[in-house]
Amino acid sequence: RAAACGPSRRVARMTDIAGGYEKVRERVHAAARAAGRDPQSVRIVAVAKTKPPEAVREAIAAGATIIGENYVQEARAKREAVGAGAAWHFIGRLQRNKARDAAELFDVIQTLDSLRLAQALDRLARERGRPVHVLVEVNLGGEATKGGIEPQALGEFVTALEPFEGLQVDGLMTIPPPQDDPSASRPYFRRLRELRDALQARASAHVPLAELSMGMTDDFEHAIAEGATLVRVGRAIFGQRSARR
């Protein structure tokens, strides 16, 4: 009986993930068109935190090209099981003692938030002979429980990154404070874009700042309206988060 039910449950799960990804893709494209933007200018980061490798494989089969993970060790096991097929972005808070593992495992680290971490990643990049791609996390809500550079210190911080030629600083990332009304996040997204635009006027070759990673399941349409190029979506693709293994 178990053998007979197993395949049907797997098909149902694949349908749920494929259907979830397609709905998110449609919402992303609709939001981009409503903002007068090219839908291809916004990419989906499928956040697979706590989800098993088979769920990641199903998301990739459905069209996901970027997988987001919060924990280095969890991502290592999954990436080894999944294999090629997508880029992997680190979106959790990164401790310096995990910098080497993260630099080897992830294609982009979205949460650079200190010069000491930048120095560690730059050193690793020089050792391996290729750059580490990063986004600078900005703490727009002033929340003590979150990482990120304070907005008033962002210009100085980005300037301090200029000598680190091992880093490719692709853009900025933020997580607004929790809101009951998703539209209340929009001013935070607008502020991140404004900060980026001001900094981009003096960007260098390895600090292009082209990317804005902002918006999650409940508010990504508002982020797209304000210029997001990367939206981090987990629940709308994979369903409710599982207990961490």
Side-chain angles (χ1 to χ4, degrees):
R1 182 179 180 85
C5 293
S8 66
R9 286 199 299 270
R10 178 173 174 78
V11 169
R13 188 172 69 251
M14 289 183 68
T15 301
D16 290 343
I17 292 175
Y21 185 84
E22 180 59 22
K23 288 177 182 176
V24 169
R25 189 191 67 82
E26 290 173 354
R27 288 172 60 191
V28 165
H29 286 197
R33 286 191 292 267
R37 299 178 56 194
D38 179 358
Q40 301 304 318
S41 68
V42 186
R43 290 170 293 154
I44 301 165
V45 180
V47 179
K49 176 182 176 181
T50 76
K51 299 300 179 181
E54 55 267 27
V56 176
R57 281 193 290 266
E58 290 158 15
I60 293 171
T65 60
I66 304 174
I67 304 299
E69 287 285 351
N70 290 65
Y71 302 106
V72 173
Q73 289 305 111
E74 181 181 333
R76 179 184 300 283
K78 278 193 267 190
R79 187 159 192 178
E80 290 173 356
V82 171
W88 291 65
H89 287 205
F90 185 77
I91 59 173
R93 197 161 188 178
L94 182 59
Q95 298 174 328
R96 281 190 302 120
N97 64 354
K98 298 287 186 182
R100 180 177 296 276
D101 290 340
E104 292 298 331
L105 182 60
F106 291 95
D107 299 282
V108 178
I109 294 170
Q110 291 201 15
T111 51
L112 177 64
D113 65 354
S114 75
L115 281 178
R116 294 183 72 187
L117 179 58
Q119 290 165 347
L121 293 172
D122 179 64
R123 184 171 60 252
L124 293 167
R126 293 171 186 273
E127 286 178 8
R128 70 181 190 171
R130 65 181 188 275
V132 175
H133 288 259
V134 299
L135 306 184
V136 175
E137 183 176 3
V138 185
N139 189 338
L140 293 176
E143 296 170 277
T145 56
K146 289 179 181 174
I149 303 299
E150 297 296 324
Q152 61 272 22
L154 182 61
E156 182 180 355
F157 182 76
V158 171
T159 297
L161 297 179
E162 290 284 350
F164 299 148
E165 295 186 0
L167 299 183
Q168 177 80 14
V169 187
D170 291 332
L172 306 179
M173 176 268 211
T174 198
I175 305 172
Q179 309 288 344
D180 292 330
D181 178 2
S183 67
S185 294
R186 188 159 178 170
Y188 294 95
F189 300 144
R190 183 180 305 120
R191 179 62 175 148
L192 192 73
R193 172 174 50 81
E194 291 169 348
L195 288 167
R196 189 281 307 272
D197 290 350
L199 292 169
Q200 204 172 33
R202 54 188 174 88
S204 66
H206 68 283
V207 188
L209 298 174
E211 304 283 9
L212 288 174
S213 176
M214 55 191 193
M216 296 184 284
T217 289
D218 292 329
D219 57 14
F220 68 77
E221 282 102 340
H222 298 288
I224 291 169
E226 294 296 341
T229 63
L230 294 162
V231 292
R232 307 179 305 273
V233 183
R235 177 164 35 87
I237 296 172
F238 295 103
Q240 294 295 331
R241 184 175 297 168
S242 308
R244 189 180 174 203
R245 299 190 202 186

